[in-house]
Amino acid sequence: MKTAIITGASAGLGQEIVRQLGDVFPEIECYWLIARRADRLESLAISLPGKATVCLPMDLCDPMSFVRLQEKLAEDRPEVSLLVNNAGCGYLGRIGEMDTASQTRMVDLNLRALTAVTNMVVPYMPQGGRILNVSSIASFCPNPRMTVYSASKAYVSAYTIGAAEELRSREISVTAVCPGPMATEFLEVGSIAGNSKMFELLPYCDLVRVAGGALRAAKAGRTIYTPRLFYKFYRLLAKVTPVKLMVQLAKT
């Protein structure tokens, strides 16, 4: 049975990707849904008629979650056609002023969990398998007051490019989607809403369009997908502008 594994599936972009997954990958019959909140996963599973679902409530900042996932993979030996690494977090705050737990949580979830889950799942992916990593426009340039978050997303994009080349011989494609801000709970949880003039000025990406575009980009085997012309230009600008100047422009 062809399977998709989606982390961070209980809300925001992850939830919308799950909802649209059947439109782009109708051949995938089983969804493994991973997130901390069991009740939300179960509600999402109920909304997916005709699809087999496995709800795996776990906190990917907890190393024991990797043990549980490894055991589940070894027991079921699924044919993973699609892995979506969506779990992530971002917090607004200055270095030395923000609590250390928030800083390290971004590292644990955005880098460590994505790396661990991918490494565990790839052995169960056949030729033609696809990996979709959720990155951000923050990966294009360091963002003061979100320094750890932007650095973590730079890792996600760089990891994606390297993994795409490394897995090419196995015919497994790897895609990073790099959206701008979206109207999700991410803004409230990260203390961003109402506290950043930059976020008030930036054009927002539509959640539904980003999810659909990201899935189609993964199906097409694209390596980097940036929604909206504005952010495509920003990506180009970040490539050609000295980073010390870009950092001044990218302050959050």
Side-chain angles (χ1 to χ4, degrees):
M1 180 181 294
K2 292 184 178 180
T3 300
I5 299 178
I6 306 96
T7 71
S10 65
L13 183 60
Q15 186 179 73
E16 187 58 37
I17 285 173
V18 172
R19 286 174 173 163
Q20 296 191 45
L21 205 158
D23 296 333
V24 182
F25 293 94
E27 71 278 8
I28 295 179
E29 305 163 280
C30 180
Y31 299 171
W32 286 20
L33 308 176
I34 298 176
R36 289 178 298 155
R37 294 169 288 194
D39 56 336
R40 289 200 179 190
L41 291 181
E42 290 165 4
S43 296
L44 180 59
I46 292 171
S47 72
L48 300 168
K51 299 294 183 181
T53 55
V54 177
C55 294
L56 299 172
M58 57 179 70
D59 183 353
L60 292 176
C61 286
D62 180 357
M64 286 305 298
S65 66
F66 305 141
V67 176
R68 289 179 54 203
L69 180 57
Q70 185 71 73
E71 291 174 346
K72 180 67 174 173
L73 288 165
E75 179 183 353
D76 289 21
R77 302 195 65 79
E79 179 187 341
V80 183
S81 297
L82 175 67
L83 167 63
V84 180
N85 285 306
N86 173 71
C89 61
Y91 302 102
L92 181 71
R94 297 183 184 278
I95 296 169
E97 297 177 5
M98 183 190 298
D99 65 286
T100 302
S102 295
Q103 296 271 38
T104 56
R105 182 173 179 80
M106 287 185 279
V107 175
D108 288 341
L109 191 55
N110 299 359
L111 280 70
R112 190 166 182 264
L114 178 144
T115 305
V117 171
T118 303
N119 196 61
M120 287 188 286
V121 170
V122 162
Y124 298 91
M125 301 190 82
Q127 288 185 343
R130 294 171 173 86
I131 299 170
L132 174 60
N133 296 325
V134 176
S135 186
S136 167
I137 60 161
S139 70
F140 304 152
C141 174
N143 301 141
R145 288 210 303 161
M146 293 192 77
T147 298
V148 175
Y149 176 75
S150 58
S152 74
K153 290 303 184 179
Y155 173 92
V156 173
S157 291
Y159 178 90
T160 297
I161 294 168
E165 180 60 31
E166 186 173 331
L167 296 172
R168 188 184 306 277
S169 62
R170 291 188 51 185
E171 296 182 25
I172 295 173
S173 68
V174 190
T175 302
V177 54
C178 301
M182 295 174 285
T184 69
E185 64 181 31
F186 175 89
L187 300 177
E188 284 72 33
V189 173
S191 300
I192 298 167
N195 295 313
S196 171
K197 290 183 179 179
M198 179 61 74
F199 273 82
E200 293 174 5
L201 294 172
L202 288 173
Y204 274 47
C205 291
D206 180 82
L207 182 70
V208 175
R209 290 185 178 181
V210 171
L215 286 167
R216 289 189 293 273
K219 188 161 190 176
R222 295 174 60 180
T223 304
I224 300 290
Y225 166 61
T226 308
R228 294 198 61 150
L229 182 61
F230 179 88
Y231 293 115
K232 295 180 194 297
F233 174 74
Y234 176 68
R235 180 185 172 201
L236 176 62
L237 186 66
K239 284 184 176 181
V240 301
T241 304
V243 67
K244 287 188 177 181
L245 177 58
M246 277 303 300
V247 168
Q248 296 294 320
L249 298 174
K251 287 182 178 179
T252 51

